[in-house]
Amino acid sequence: MLTNQQKKVFKIIIGICALIALAIGIEYMVEYFINDSANKMSFFASHFSLGIALIFIGIIAFLLPFTTRTRFGEGKGDNMIMIVGVLLVLCGIIAIPLTFLF
């Protein structure tokens, strides 16, 4: 079980990752609605934004069970969300090279 200070550190990391993922999503939406075609979007928005956002969301999903654990038990959902977090990071890593192919 983690101490309260360690839980605060995880919550700060989760907040930073959430802000970064939100900023990337807002940046992508602004470019998408301003430009009239996908060819005019920036290199970052067209190739990296989806993958990086998925990676940060996966990090959030992986760290969330650490902040909610208690000493009285552990749920099955906590173990499953850690697997989902790892899969989201893997999908984000795979999404980056795929954008260069298609």
Side-chain angles (χ1 to χ4, degrees):
M1 187 166 130
L2 299 174
T3 64
N4 285 337
Q5 187 172 3
Q6 290 171 333
K7 286 183 181 181
K8 285 181 186 179
V9 170
F10 279 131
K11 288 179 182 179
I12 290 170
I13 293 171
I14 289 171
I16 290 170
C17 290
L19 286 175
I20 292 172
L22 183 67
I24 290 172
I26 290 172
E27 186 268 338
Y28 182 81
M29 287 191 317
V30 166
E31 281 199 33
Y32 182 78
F33 288 120
I34 289 176
N35 298 324
D36 55 349
S37 69
N39 295 334
K40 292 183 180 180
M41 291 181 71
S42 70
F43 186 78
F44 176 80
S46 61
H47 294 292
F48 294 109
S49 61
L50 175 67
I52 293 174
L54 280 174
I55 289 170
F56 280 114
I57 293 170
I59 292 170
I60 293 168
F62 186 77
L63 293 178
L64 275 176
F66 293 114
T67 61
T68 60
R69 283 197 181 148
T70 61
R71 63 182 167 149
F72 298 114
E74 196 173 312
K76 293 179 183 177
D78 288 345
N79 294 332
M80 184 62 84
I81 196 71
M82 292 178 78
I83 295 170
V84 170
V86 170
L87 290 175
L88 277 169
V89 170
L90 184 65
C91 287
I93 292 171
I94 291 171
I96 292 173
L98 282 180
T99 59
F100 289 103
L101 297 176
F102 300 109

